[in-house]
Amino acid sequence: MKKFISGFVVGALLFGGVSAFAASSLIGQKVQGLFTIEKGGTKVAEAVIINGSAYAPVRAVAEATGASLTVEGKKIIMSSENEKVPTAASNTKTLAELQAERNKIAEQVEKKTAIVSEFKKTQVDNWDVLISENPNSTTIPQWENTKKESEKMLEQLKTELATLQQQLNDLDAQIAALKH
């Protein structure tokens, strides 16, 4: 059903571009029927039938199929949820610029990986050793609090590393798309 609705939307978009030029020929035409568009038993929109062609609100049908719409000038651009709509800014970068940006982020990933590893060894792990080697120390509660703060900082560093890695993956995808 989803493929049918998606196909219907794409067909409507393609035909819509042609019908815009032929709009004057639709004036005065008889509506032959009114169809309900449903998804999973829920009404999404209504389509009118004129001269054997269905006309439905593109946004309502696209949203029902999980697609998003953007309008650029006189173009309506549909994309699925997991597909990003290319913007004018993203299209202006050359392959060389994307590769240079990728190299910078790859360096940052490498540095951040080393920082995370070193921080874990010198901060978190050291507090574990200190606490385990001095079980009778009166400062263990303070050491444990400091260890917890160090663990929070480590998690923040790991989050930053994951963000950089995601940026690297996104750039790899953009580069692959440009190469094809």
Side-chain angles (χ1 to χ4, degrees):
M1 182 69 180
K2 186 174 181 180
K3 287 183 181 180
F4 172 76
I5 291 175
S6 296
F8 177 78
V9 171
V10 170
L13 283 175
L14 292 174
F15 186 76
V18 173
S19 67
F21 294 109
S24 61
S25 67
L26 291 178
I27 295 174
Q29 294 292 321
K30 182 179 175 187
V31 173
Q32 297 167 336
L34 183 65
F35 286 27
T36 301
I37 301 171
E38 292 184 1
K39 179 179 179 188
T42 305
K43 180 179 173 181
V44 173
E46 290 185 339
V48 295
I49 308 299
I50 301 174
N51 294 332
S53 295
Y55 295 87
V58 177
R59 183 167 305 279
V61 175
E63 287 174 356
T65 61
S68 62
L69 293 178
T70 55
V71 179
E72 290 181 9
K74 291 189 174 191
K75 283 197 279 185
I76 298 173
I77 302 168
M78 286 181 39
S79 64
S80 63
E81 293 176 359
N82 56 0
E83 172 186 325
K84 293 183 180 175
V85 176
T87 62
S90 68
N91 288 337
T92 60
K93 289 187 179 180
T94 65
L95 182 59
E97 290 171 329
L98 287 173
Q99 287 174 330
E101 188 176 344
R102 188 209 182 280
N103 291 340
K104 286 179 186 175
I105 292 179
E107 278 182 33
Q108 291 175 352
V109 166
E110 191 175 315
K111 287 177 184 176
K112 189 66 77 171
T113 301
I115 289 170
V116 166
S117 177
E118 187 64 26
F119 188 86
K120 185 176 182 325
K121 280 190 260 182
T122 61
Q123 295 295 319
V124 179
D125 292 347
N126 281 348
W127 290 113
D128 282 334
V129 170
L130 189 61
I131 292 168
S132 66
E133 288 180 356
N134 300 292
N136 297 325
S137 176
T138 58
T139 57
I140 286 181
Q142 293 169 334
W143 293 343
E144 287 175 339
N145 285 336
T146 305
K147 178 187 169 201
K148 285 180 185 176
E149 290 174 19
S150 295
E151 287 172 336
K152 286 179 186 176
M153 291 173 65
L154 180 62
E155 287 306 310
Q156 183 179 358
L157 289 170
K158 286 181 177 179
T159 301
E160 292 169 7
L161 177 60
T163 300
L164 286 171
Q165 189 62 49
Q166 183 60 47
Q167 290 173 357
L168 190 63
N169 293 341
D170 292 345
L171 282 170
D172 285 340
Q174 289 177 11
I175 290 169
L178 279 179
K179 287 183 176 180
H180 293 270

